[in-house]
Amino acid sequence: MKDQINEIKEKALKAIEEAEDAKILNDVRVNILGKKGELTQVLRGMGALSPEERPVIGELVNKVRDEIETKIKEREEEFKKEALKEKLENETIDITLPATKIKRGSKHPINRVIEEIEDLFVSMGYDVVEGPELETDEFCFERLNLPKGHPARDMQDSFYITEDYLLRTQTSAVQARTMLAKGGNEPIRMICAGKTYRREDDATHSHQFGQVEGLVIDKKDKNVSLADLKGTLEVFVRKLVGKNSELRFRPSYFPFTEPSYEVDVTCFKCGGKGCNLCKQTGWIELLGAGIVHPNVLKMNGYNPEEYGGFAFGTGLDRLAMFKYGIPDVRYLYANDIRFLSQFDRKDEE
Ligand code: PHE
């Protein structure tokens, strides 16, 4: 019997040594040590042994079983190590491979225009200010010399939220806010860009658009004349739209300025010769402007005897269209990647 056990042992150790993978190893385990395994069978036959032989054989079988189990464990460890090594080798990252490109966004043309305007005016000593889009009737109209029932309110079809609150129709609302905040005895130079809303909806108008507003207030003898306004707008337009732009002031009406002007600029497409864009006139209307109305000064805390100023406002959409030659205002709001990606960051790098 001893020989039989030793034979099983030799066979098992050899099989373990030769096993090529964990599955074969497991088969060996079952075949030798399992319920019906060879070594188990030997134990079953022990009943036929003499009482003296039994402990000797029993001990031998246990020893052999331990040996085989240890060997199996060792081999298992080897397999595990091999598997890990293989995994590590297969999963190495080739850091020399080129990376997948991450798409970069681009600044919206309107935001670019805003930044350019702000930079320009800051360089001339203006403050950049902001105001709420949900505005009160008081700031949007009343404090700008447009009392309730004033016919000029019809110029701006408004979205009222309640009787007193509306979506601001013009950034001019920020003029009144700034004057009040300064308390009537400080000069003002401010620029404010933002969203504005009117009840319009056709091919050339959107219910939401952008405006930028400028306001200068100072003692009457300090660069606040019509000539100063004209000079300021010339710098503005030539920087934003084109070096050779000429300006033309046409008398107009705004309740908060007196005198008031609409300012035309040489058509950027034909340079003033006349084309379909400017309807053969050579001019394109770009800005509203004027000398701050004494009532507005008074209502917002400034003494019109002592202080004077000028204001101007323009549409950001129009400016962006001018600047980049965009033919349709709707492109600005469609969020089409093909359109937006044309405004990459080339000129900023
Ligand atoms: N707020 C005016 C508009 O929306 C434009 C304007 C601004 C006119 C400032 C004069 C001075 O039409």
Side-chain angles (χ1 to χ4, degrees), residues 168-185:
R168 69 176 173 199
T169 55
Q170 50 185 357
T171 42
S172 301
V174 185
Q175 287 191 25
R177 286 189 175 275
T178 312
M179 282 188 239
L180 275 186
K182 291 282 182 185
N185 49 18

PDB file of all heavy atoms in Angstrom, residues 168-185:
ATOM      1  N   ARG A 168     -35.756  95.037 -19.206  1.00  0.00           N
ATOM      2  CA  ARG A 168     -35.311  96.354 -19.659  1.00  0.00           C
ATOM      3  C   ARG A 168     -35.282  96.414 -21.192  1.00  0.00           C
ATOM      4  O   ARG A 168     -34.846  95.480 -21.857  1.00  0.00           O
ATOM      5  CB  ARG A 168     -33.945  96.704 -19.073  1.00  0.00           C
ATOM      6  CG  ARG A 168     -32.801  95.878 -19.604  1.00  0.00           C
ATOM      7  CD  ARG A 168     -31.478  96.371 -19.044  1.00  0.00           C
ATOM      8  NE  ARG A 168     -30.409  95.461 -19.444  1.00  0.00           N
ATOM      9  CZ  ARG A 168     -29.242  95.381 -18.856  1.00  0.00           C
ATOM     10  NH1 ARG A 168     -28.944  96.142 -17.835  1.00  0.00           N
ATOM     11  NH2 ARG A 168     -28.324  94.533 -19.295  1.00  0.00           N
ATOM     12  N   THR A 169     -35.781  97.517 -21.713  1.00  0.00           N
ATOM     13  CA  THR A 169     -35.835  97.691 -23.162  1.00  0.00           C
ATOM     14  C   THR A 169     -34.582  98.385 -23.672  1.00  0.00           C
ATOM     15  O   THR A 169     -34.336  98.440 -24.854  1.00  0.00           O
ATOM     16  CB  THR A 169     -37.043  98.560 -23.543  1.00  0.00           C
ATOM     17  OG1 THR A 169     -36.936  99.791 -22.812  1.00  0.00           O
ATOM     18  CG2 THR A 169     -38.352  97.885 -23.185  1.00  0.00           C
ATOM     19  N   GLN A 170     -33.834  98.957 -22.752  1.00  0.00           N
ATOM     20  CA  GLN A 170     -32.631  99.684 -23.150  1.00  0.00           C
ATOM     21  C   GLN A 170     -31.643  99.711 -21.976  1.00  0.00           C
ATOM     22  O   GLN A 170     -32.041  99.727 -20.817  1.00  0.00           O
ATOM     23  CB  GLN A 170     -32.983 101.120 -23.557  1.00  0.00           C
ATOM     24  CG  GLN A 170     -33.845 101.835 -22.522  1.00  0.00           C
ATOM     25  CD  GLN A 170     -34.286 103.219 -22.979  1.00  0.00           C
ATOM     26  OE1 GLN A 170     -33.903 103.664 -24.051  1.00  0.00           O
ATOM     27  NE2 GLN A 170     -35.073 103.901 -22.163  1.00  0.00           N
ATOM     28  N   THR A 171     -30.358  99.725 -22.305  1.00  0.00           N
ATOM     29  CA  THR A 171     -29.366  99.813 -21.227  1.00  0.00           C
ATOM     30  C   THR A 171     -29.345 101.216 -20.619  1.00  0.00           C
ATOM     31  O   THR A 171     -28.689 101.448 -19.606  1.00  0.00           O
ATOM     32  CB  THR A 171     -27.953  99.443 -21.754  1.00  0.00           C
ATOM     33  OG1 THR A 171     -27.769 100.037 -23.024  1.00  0.00           O
ATOM     34  CG2 THR A 171     -27.779  97.942 -21.847  1.00  0.00           C
ATOM     35  N   SER A 172     -30.080 102.147 -21.220  1.00  0.00           N
ATOM     36  CA  SER A 172     -30.137 103.508 -20.668  1.00  0.00           C
ATOM     37  C   SER A 172     -30.605 103.512 -19.217  1.00  0.00           C
ATOM     38  O   SER A 172     -30.319 104.446 -18.461  1.00  0.00           O
ATOM     39  CB  SER A 172     -31.064 104.393 -21.507  1.00  0.00           C
ATOM     40  OG  SER A 172     -30.608 104.442 -22.836  1.00  0.00           O
ATOM     41  N   ALA A 173     -31.343 102.457 -18.821  1.00  0.00           N
ATOM     42  CA  ALA A 173     -31.784 102.349 -17.430  1.00  0.00           C
ATOM     43  C   ALA A 173     -30.600 102.462 -16.470  1.00  0.00           C
ATOM     44  O   ALA A 173     -30.724 102.972 -15.358  1.00  0.00           O
ATOM     45  CB  ALA A 173     -32.506 101.017 -17.221  1.00  0.00           C
ATOM     46  N   VAL A 174     -29.454 102.001 -16.919  1.00  0.00           N
ATOM     47  CA  VAL A 174     -28.266 102.011 -16.067  1.00  0.00           C
ATOM     48  C   VAL A 174     -27.726 103.447 -15.880  1.00  0.00           C
ATOM     49  O   VAL A 174     -27.045 103.738 -14.902  1.00  0.00           O
ATOM     50  CB  VAL A 174     -27.175 101.069 -16.640  1.00  0.00           C
ATOM     51  CG1 VAL A 174     -25.993 100.963 -15.717  1.00  0.00           C
ATOM     52  CG2 VAL A 174     -27.758  99.697 -16.895  1.00  0.00           C
ATOM     53  N   GLN A 175     -28.057 104.329 -16.810  1.00  0.00           N
ATOM     54  CA  GLN A 175     -27.655 105.739 -16.654  1.00  0.00           C
ATOM     55  C   GLN A 175     -28.201 106.293 -15.342  1.00  0.00           C
ATOM     56  O   GLN A 175     -27.474 106.863 -14.527  1.00  0.00           O
ATOM     57  CB  GLN A 175     -28.238 106.591 -17.787  1.00  0.00           C
ATOM     58  CG  GLN A 175     -27.591 106.413 -19.134  1.00  0.00           C
ATOM     59  CD  GLN A 175     -28.083 107.506 -20.090  1.00  0.00           C
ATOM     60  OE1 GLN A 175     -28.503 108.586 -19.668  1.00  0.00           O
ATOM     61  NE2 GLN A 175     -28.021 107.210 -21.381  1.00  0.00           N
ATOM     62  N   ALA A 176     -29.519 106.119 -15.177  1.00  0.00           N
ATOM     63  CA  ALA A 176     -30.173 106.660 -13.983  1.00  0.00           C
ATOM     64  C   ALA A 176     -29.611 106.015 -12.722  1.00  0.00           C
ATOM     65  O   ALA A 176     -29.352 106.697 -11.717  1.00  0.00           O
ATOM     66  CB  ALA A 176     -31.680 106.428 -14.070  1.00  0.00           C
ATOM     67  N   ARG A 177     -29.418 104.701 -12.785  1.00  0.00           N
ATOM     68  CA  ARG A 177     -28.871 103.990 -11.618  1.00  0.00           C
ATOM     69  C   ARG A 177     -27.489 104.547 -11.244  1.00  0.00           C
ATOM     70  O   ARG A 177     -27.180 104.750 -10.069  1.00  0.00           O
ATOM     71  CB  ARG A 177     -28.733 102.504 -11.912  1.00  0.00           C
ATOM     72  CG  ARG A 177     -30.060 101.794 -11.929  1.00  0.00           C
ATOM     73  CD  ARG A 177     -29.920 100.292 -12.015  1.00  0.00           C
ATOM     74  NE  ARG A 177     -31.233  99.678 -11.912  1.00  0.00           N
ATOM     75  CZ  ARG A 177     -31.832  99.403 -10.764  1.00  0.00           C
ATOM     76  NH1 ARG A 177     -31.213  99.647  -9.627  1.00  0.00           N
ATOM     77  NH2 ARG A 177     -33.040  98.881 -10.735  1.00  0.00           N
ATOM     78  N   THR A 178     -26.662 104.773 -12.251  1.00  0.00           N
ATOM     79  CA  THR A 178     -25.302 105.235 -11.975  1.00  0.00           C
ATOM     80  C   THR A 178     -25.320 106.650 -11.392  1.00  0.00           C
ATOM     81  O   THR A 178     -24.626 106.955 -10.428  1.00  0.00           O
ATOM     82  CB  THR A 178     -24.458 105.219 -13.268  1.00  0.00           C
ATOM     83  OG1 THR A 178     -24.652 103.965 -13.898  1.00  0.00           O
ATOM     84  CG2 THR A 178     -22.984 105.421 -12.985  1.00  0.00           C
ATOM     85  N   MET A 179     -26.155 107.515 -11.985  1.00  0.00           N
ATOM     86  CA  MET A 179     -26.225 108.900 -11.480  1.00  0.00           C
ATOM     87  C   MET A 179     -26.667 108.925 -10.021  1.00  0.00           C
ATOM     88  O   MET A 179     -26.056 109.597  -9.192  1.00  0.00           O
ATOM     89  CB  MET A 179     -27.201 109.716 -12.328  1.00  0.00           C
ATOM     90  CG  MET A 179     -26.614 110.162 -13.646  1.00  0.00           C
ATOM     91  SD  MET A 179     -27.733 111.312 -14.460  1.00  0.00           S
ATOM     92  CE  MET A 179     -28.031 110.445 -15.953  1.00  0.00           C
ATOM     93  N   LEU A 180     -27.705 108.153  -9.722  1.00  0.00           N
ATOM     94  CA  LEU A 180     -28.193 108.130  -8.342  1.00  0.00           C
ATOM     95  C   LEU A 180     -27.123 107.615  -7.391  1.00  0.00           C
ATOM     96  O   LEU A 180     -26.928 108.143  -6.296  1.00  0.00           O
ATOM     97  CB  LEU A 180     -29.439 107.253  -8.229  1.00  0.00           C
ATOM     98  CG  LEU A 180     -30.778 107.915  -8.557  1.00  0.00           C
ATOM     99  CD1 LEU A 180     -31.904 106.955  -8.243  1.00  0.00           C
ATOM    100  CD2 LEU A 180     -30.967 109.212  -7.763  1.00  0.00           C
ATOM    101  N   ALA A 181     -26.413 106.590  -7.834  1.00  0.00           N
ATOM    102  CA  ALA A 181     -25.394 105.986  -6.973  1.00  0.00           C
ATOM    103  C   ALA A 181     -24.267 106.970  -6.682  1.00  0.00           C
ATOM    104  O   ALA A 181     -23.657 106.940  -5.612  1.00  0.00           O
ATOM    105  CB  ALA A 181     -24.833 104.722  -7.633  1.00  0.00           C
ATOM    106  N   LYS A 182     -23.999 107.876  -7.626  1.00  0.00           N
ATOM    107  CA  LYS A 182     -22.885 108.807  -7.436  1.00  0.00           C
ATOM    108  C   LYS A 182     -23.277 109.990  -6.560  1.00  0.00           C
ATOM    109  O   LYS A 182     -22.432 110.756  -6.104  1.00  0.00           O
ATOM    110  CB  LYS A 182     -22.397 109.334  -8.795  1.00  0.00           C
ATOM    111  CG  LYS A 182     -21.715 108.270  -9.626  1.00  0.00           C
ATOM    112  CD  LYS A 182     -20.299 108.009  -9.148  1.00  0.00           C
ATOM    113  CE  LYS A 182     -19.654 106.975 -10.040  1.00  0.00           C
ATOM    114  NZ  LYS A 182     -18.333 106.572  -9.584  1.00  0.00           N
ATOM    115  N   GLY A 183     -24.568 110.180  -6.411  1.00  0.00           N
ATOM    116  CA  GLY A 183     -25.026 111.165  -5.443  1.00  0.00           C
ATOM    117  C   GLY A 183     -24.948 112.619  -5.880  1.00  0.00           C
ATOM    118  O   GLY A 183     -25.006 113.521  -5.052  1.00  0.00           O
ATOM    119  N   GLY A 184     -24.798 112.881  -7.157  1.00  0.00           N
ATOM    120  CA  GLY A 184     -24.977 114.244  -7.657  1.00  0.00           C
ATOM    121  C   GLY A 184     -23.779 115.166  -7.601  1.00  0.00           C
ATOM    122  O   GLY A 184     -23.865 116.310  -8.034  1.00  0.00           O
ATOM    123  N   ASN A 185     -22.655 114.704  -7.075  1.00  0.00           N
ATOM    124  CA  ASN A 185     -21.521 115.644  -7.058  1.00  0.00           C
ATOM    125  C   ASN A 185     -20.206 114.992  -7.479  1.00  0.00           C
ATOM    126  O   ASN A 185     -19.135 115.453  -7.116  1.00  0.00           O
ATOM    127  CB  ASN A 185     -21.383 116.281  -5.682  1.00  0.00           C
ATOM    128  CG  ASN A 185     -21.415 115.225  -4.594  1.00  0.00           C
ATOM    129  OD1 ASN A 185     -21.210 114.052  -4.902  1.00  0.00           O
ATOM    130  ND2 ASN A 185     -21.646 115.634  -3.378  1.00  0.00           N
TER     131      ASN A 185
END
